[in-house]
Amino acid sequence: PEGVSHDARGERFLVTSLRFGTIGAVRYDGNYTPFIEDHDLISTIGIKVDEARKRVLVAVSDPGAGINTTPETAGRLAALG
């Protein structure tokens, strides 16, 4: 994973992926399951669980290493999801 944030309410860690652009959930027992899969998330590079507002903030970019990289987005994408 590229980024990791603890989700106490969900009793898990949320992890990002530079390569796949996904967000996964890792339970305390180590079990991984997909949490968010979206083609527009080229590379997810950072994550923050905002428990007070019941939301997840994700930094998205395209450094050219993701499976969904395109010439239009490589080195040009920066977003907050």
Side-chain angles (χ1 to χ4, degrees):
E2 179 67 18
V4 178
S5 187
H6 183 245
D7 176 13
R9 178 173 292 171
E11 297 182 350
R12 62 191 173 187
F13 293 91
L14 296 180
V15 297
T16 62
S17 172
L18 186 72
R19 177 92 173 117
F20 298 105
T22 56
I23 299 168
V26 180
R27 299 264 173 215
Y28 294 159
D29 65 3
N31 185 36
Y32 174 92
T33 56
F35 180 65
I36 297 174
E37 296 175 305
D38 185 326
H39 185 76
D40 291 334
L41 302 176
I42 308 288
S43 290
T44 51
I45 58 170
I47 190 165
K48 171 68 176 157
V49 174
D50 181 355
E51 293 182 13
R53 293 182 179 92
K54 299 180 183 174
R55 64 183 181 172
V56 176
L57 302 169
V58 181
V60 180
S61 72
D62 185 357
I67 62 170
N68 295 320
T69 287
T70 67
E72 293 78 25
T73 59
R76 299 171 186 224
L77 174 66
L80 178 64

